[in-house]
């Protein structure tokens, strides 16, 4: 991230003012596209150079394509792919007479793609304005201009007492403020052994200590609400149904590291998340739980929400920090780590939504109670979610160590209509694909890693016998190539080449493919390029014939 | 701080990168997005080296040295991946880079000859309206050197990275060319560009390249 540009952002706008990305999105909402005058205007308002603003406008999905008065965005995420094999996209495109990314000549309608609307429990999903319709009839309803808001998923805890699927009651913060110093809270979180739930499973306390120790007058807590993984709607559930729990988690983290400001970056694909969070924050302010004395007399803490604008890689922490300052959501090499230099160059603690929602329980009940939630496995509990192919899709809170079979068969009820599960992709697009023959693998970090998979963020996208594995490879690599932030060479060019290799039905040269996967794994700057090979390696290992390897 | 490069000890100051250690030791690793006038960027991944005790090669330009580190510039995986990456990057250009460019030199150094990749290449798009500076977008490999030198050294902020993924490229101003941007005609971008995507027009004329006017 350019130091000069972040300095310009800090100098010209105070926290909470709309970012350049938000201003450009506003221009698209008002006029259907970003034009040169918008770029000049946003440059003048933000103090950023015009060229820089132009670069921002060409990066994000929401800013790149023209939008019609009726803006239809079809989900091309993996759960929707598992439901229709991509037919819903073709049907909408035919029905509207528009290719993806096109706007009708009279400007009345546009069709764009969007990667995961978080309605993976009733795919396929289509968004029209802020209405998300989903299910087998969604395309027909959208084509007859009668979209209907789809039902939200259900959330349920399988624990004796829910830790995550509950509204927050701020009891953890109350107890901590009365009984623990910031250092003691950091130690409690270290004892609890909290691992980040955003995908990398990094020990939370290590980041807390680093951020707390970084010398600075000001520090930030950033909540990563980007949840880009197609097939995942866990953070959406938390932000919309347990926003107090998340705010309490952020306040606790702020108390521990000495931060006064919290920022939640929410992806624009979730139109209901930001209002839910802002209403909860307002209620908390009224009760004095956020605001000037939130963390004790004269110790302020408050939270603002910033919008994303359509980019998977913005979920990566350095890209996230760029986006929430209004810049291109491109990955930066570390060091410096966010703990040293994040928002406005100041020490910043970045956590996933679900990770932060774990903290109130530890604050209220202590590390030992937290460790007992999953005996003999990774500490704490985990939210998982299932796609529409399952009989009982939804969000479930489970103890770590449950087998994937129990999850798929008992918790989610197996596939609907008696279909047979062929394979399940776990933990997002960078996660491996578990064939039905390995379902007895325990759902936990090490056992999944041993079979080329990962817990990731916790989604389980099941595929039935209808899904061709070559089609799945094409789907995943198409996603990977399209979402590459374009910074590092292996991912920027390599994912496009990998996608090209699985086009059509021609045999795929296995040695070439593996050479390319190695360059992606070992060469990429971030886990996007580094992780996209994982599901492809699963397909090579378990479905070589379907993949068409030669 | 003391580290080892290919078995030879070398003394480096606190905060030095592996690349600085390699150079201090008189060894070589190729680079494409690196320019010593600019903050390290870590984009090209051609500078990968092996480090004893680490299971994966690391980018030498952005990795700080730790005391006692043992760096291997000939690490087979690192060299293999660097070669594969350069082959990928050459494959995005519609024509091979001119022999005098840094990109062509790095390809020769890594022994990347015949390209095995076919598929998409960058579309030709030229901006020749500035009196001295020419931009040929199809030759851009998104190393970011021009954008960074304009930002970090010149402070003119006339350039930006554009797009993402395979479509990533650069633009001057609001994509209206150097002439209608805050460009101060210092030529720093052309000087640092490793592919001739940005060149001084006079040099381009010497090289006999044909040009067409861009549509803004
Ligand atoms: C390509 C990519 C996408 C990511 N997307 C997300 C995301 O959507 N949400 C998230 O919390 N973390 C995401 N991460 C992980 C973040 O970089 C970071 O590790 C995480 O937000 C830290 O929070 P945690 O320690 O609480 O997990 C992503 C990482 C990569 C490389
Ligand atoms: S791996 Fe891909 S997404 Fe990550 S930095 Fe490189 S180009 Fe960007
Ligand atoms: S124009 Fe040249 S210097 Fe600029 S990003 Fe492209 S290749 Fe690099
Ligand atoms: S709503 Fe389509 S994949 Fe999630």
């Amino acid at each position: 991230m350019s130091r000069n540009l972040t300095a310009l952002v800090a100098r010209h706008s105070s926290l909470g003012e709309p970012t350049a990305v938000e201003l450009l999105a506003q221009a698209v909402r008002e006029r259907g596209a970003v034009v040169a005058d918008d770029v000049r205007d946003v440059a003048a308002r933000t103090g950023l150079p015009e060229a820089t603003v132009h670069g921002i406008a060409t990066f994000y999905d929401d800013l790149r394509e023209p939008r019609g008065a009726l803006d239809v965005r079809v989900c091309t995420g993996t759960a929707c792919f598992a439901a229709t094999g991509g037919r819903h996209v073709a049907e909408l495109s035919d029905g509207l007479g528009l290719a993806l990314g096109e706007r009708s000549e009279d400007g009345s309608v546009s069709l764009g793609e969007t990667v995961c609307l978080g309605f993976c429990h009733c795919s396929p999903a289509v968004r029209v304005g802020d209405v998300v319709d989903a299910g087998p009839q969604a395309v027909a309803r959208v084509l007859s201009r009668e979209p209907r808001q789809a039902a939200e998923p259900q959330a349920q805890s399988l624990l004796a007492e829910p830790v995550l699927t509950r509204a927050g009651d701020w009891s953890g913060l109350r107890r901590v403020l009365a009984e623990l110093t910031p250092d003691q809270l950091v130690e409690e979180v270290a004892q609890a052994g909290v691992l980040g739930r955003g995908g990398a499973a990094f020990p939370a306390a290590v980041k807390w200590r680093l951020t707390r120790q970084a010398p600075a007058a000001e520090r930030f807590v950033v909540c990563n609400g980007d949840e880009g993984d197609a097939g995942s709607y866990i953070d959406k559930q938390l932000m919309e149904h347990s926003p107090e729990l998340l705010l309490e988690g952020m306040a606790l983290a702020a108390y521990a590291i000495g931060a006064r400001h919290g920022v939640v970056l929410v992806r624009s694909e979730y139109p209901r998340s930001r209002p839910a969070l802002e209403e909860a924050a307002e209620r908390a302010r009224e009760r004095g739980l956020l605001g000037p004395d939130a963390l004790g007399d004269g110790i302020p803490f408050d939270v603002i929400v910033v919008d994303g604008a359509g980019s998977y890689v913005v979920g990566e922490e350095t890209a996230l920090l760029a986006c929430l300052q209004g810049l291109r959501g491109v990955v930066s090499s570390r060091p410096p780590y966010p703990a040293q230099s994040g928002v406005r160059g100041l020490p910043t603690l970045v956590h996933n939504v679900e990770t932060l929602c774990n903290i109130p329980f530890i604050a209220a009940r202590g590390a030992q109670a937290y460790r007992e939630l999953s005996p003999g496995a990774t500490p704490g509990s985990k939210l998982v979610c299932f796609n529409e192919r399952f009989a009982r899709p939804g969000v479930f809170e489970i103890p770590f160590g449950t087998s994937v079979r129990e999850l798929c068969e008992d918790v989610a009820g197996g596939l609907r209509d008696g279909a047979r599960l062929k394979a399940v992709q776990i933990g997002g697009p960078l996660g491996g694909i578990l064939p039905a023959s390995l379902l007895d693998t325990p759902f936990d970090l090490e056992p999944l890693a041993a079979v080329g998979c990962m817990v990731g963020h916790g989604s389980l996208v099941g595929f039935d016998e209808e899904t061709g594995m070559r089609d799945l490879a094409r789907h995943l690599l198409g996603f990977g190539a399209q979402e590459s932030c374009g910074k590092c060479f292996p991912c920027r060019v390599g994912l496009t080449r990998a996608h090209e290799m699985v086009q059509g039905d021609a045999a795929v040269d296995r040695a070439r493919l593996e050479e390319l996967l190695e360059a992606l794994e070992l060469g990429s700057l971030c886990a996007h390029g580094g992780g996209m090979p994982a599901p492809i390696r699963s397909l090579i290992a378990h479905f070589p014939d379907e993949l068409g390897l030669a | 701080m003391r580290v080892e490069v290919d078995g030879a000890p070398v003394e480096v100051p606190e905060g030095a990168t592996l690349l600085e250690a390699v150079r201090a030791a008189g060894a070589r690793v190729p680079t494409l997005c690196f320019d010593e006038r600019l903050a390290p960027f870590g984009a090209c991944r051609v500078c990968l080296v092996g480090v004893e005790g680490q299971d994966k090669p690391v980018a030498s330009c952005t990795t700080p040295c730790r005391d006692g580190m043992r760096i291997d510039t000939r690490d087979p995986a690192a060299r293999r991946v660097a070669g594969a990456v350069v082959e990928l990057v050459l494959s995005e250009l519609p024509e091979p880079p001119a022999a005098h460019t840094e990109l062509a030199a790095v390809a020769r150094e890594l022994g990347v000859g015949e390209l095995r990749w076919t598929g998409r290449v960058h579309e030709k798009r030229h901006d020749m309206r500035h009196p001295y500076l020419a931009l040929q977008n199809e030759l851009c490999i998104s190393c970011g050197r021009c954008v960074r030198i304009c930002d970090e050294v010149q402070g003119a902020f006339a350039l930006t990275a554009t797009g993402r993924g395979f479509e990533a490229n650069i633009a001057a101003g609001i994509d209206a060319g150097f002439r209608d941007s805050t460009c101060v005609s210092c030529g720093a971008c052309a000087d640092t560009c490793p592919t001739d995507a940005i060149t001084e027009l006079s040099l381009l004329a010497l090289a006999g390249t044909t040009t067409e006017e861009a549509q803004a």
Side-chain angles (χ1 to χ4, degrees), chain B residues 39-115:
Chain B
F41 196 52
C44 75
R45 320 306 283 172
V46 175
C47 69
L48 293 177
V49 294
V51 172
E52 196 179 273
Q54 299 208 8
D55 55 347
K56 281 168 56 171
V58 299
S60 61
C61 72
T62 52
T63 309
C65 288
R66 268 182 288 106
D67 196 40
M69 232 180 195
R70 299 165 81 149
I71 302 162
D72 180 4
T73 65
R74 295 169 214 139
D75 177 79
R79 292 304 86 207
R80 200 161 63 232
V81 172
V85 170
V86 170
E87 188 182 356
L88 283 168
V89 164
L90 290 172
S91 78
E92 66 180 336
L93 308 185
E95 55 208 47
H100 69 267
T101 58
E102 222 178 298
L103 176 56
V106 167
R108 284 192 298 272
E109 185 179 346
L110 288 170
V112 181
E114 194 72 5
L115 294 191

Side-chain angles (χ1 to χ4, degrees), chain A residues 4-16:
Chain A
N4 289 328
L5 293 182
T6 26
L8 282 175
V9 171
R11 188 170 338 135
H12 288 271
S13 34
S14 49
L15 213 62

Side-chain angles (χ1 to χ4, degrees), chain A residues 303-389:
Chain A
V303 173
I304 60 161
V305 184
V306 174
D307 290 330
S311 153
Y312 176 68
V313 170
V314 154
E316 189 281 335
E317 60 184 13
T318 62
L320 186 91
L321 291 170
C323 178
L324 67 81
Q325 297 179 87
L327 302 173
R328 286 166 57 83
V330 172
V331 174
S332 294
S333 61
R334 298 169 298 188
Y337 288 89
Q340 307 163 288
S341 171
V343 180
R344 306 185 161 212
L346 294 163
T348 301
L349 178 68
V350 181
H351 269 310
N352 168 257
V353 170
E354 184 182 340
T355 313
L356 287 162
C357 288
N358 278 260
I359 308 301
F361 179 87
I362 298 163
R365 308 279 282 277
Q368 191 52 36
Y370 182 78
R371 296 189 79 97
E372 282 162 9
L373 295 172
S374 296
T378 292
S381 61
K382 181 77 195 83
L383 293 181
V384 295
C385 67
F386 298 89
N387 66 320
E388 160 275 356
R389 291 288 91 183

Side-chain angles (χ1 to χ4, degrees), chain A residues 313 331 484-488 491-492 524-526 528-529:
Chain A
V313 170
V331 174
S484 163
C485 85
K487 165 127 175 198
C488 75
C491 171
R492 175 169 60 79
S524 297
L525 171 58
C526 89
H528 183 67

Side-chain angles (χ1 to χ4, degrees), chain A residues 285-300:
Chain A
R285 263 175 227 124
E286 282 162 15
R287 296 170 58 197
L289 297 162
L290 289 179
D293 303 306
L295 304 179
D297 267 350
I299 311 178

Side-chain angles (χ1 to χ4, degrees), chain A residues 2 4 49 51 54-55 58-59 61 310 328 333 482-484 487-489 492-493 497 500 512 515 518 521 523, chain B residues 41 43-45 56 62 80 88-89 91-92 116-117 120 141 151 157-158 160-165 173 175:
Chain A
S2 157
N4 289 328
H54 170 67
T58 60
F59 184 85
D61 291 340
R328 286 166 57 83
S333 61
Q482 189 163 330
E483 293 296 338
S484 163
K487 165 127 175 198
C488 75
F489 294 10
R492 175 169 60 79
V493 188
R497 295 291 174 249
E500 286 168 348
R512 283 297 292 291
E515 206 183 308
E518 182 194 45
E521 285 160 342
Chain B
F41 196 52
C44 75
R45 320 306 283 172
K56 281 168 56 171
T62 52
R80 200 161 63 232
L88 283 168
V89 164
S91 78
E92 66 180 336
R116 294 169 301 164
W117 295 113
R120 280 178 79 182
I141 59 169
D151 164 336
F157 301 100
T160 180
T162 58
R164 68 180 199 217
D175 203 18

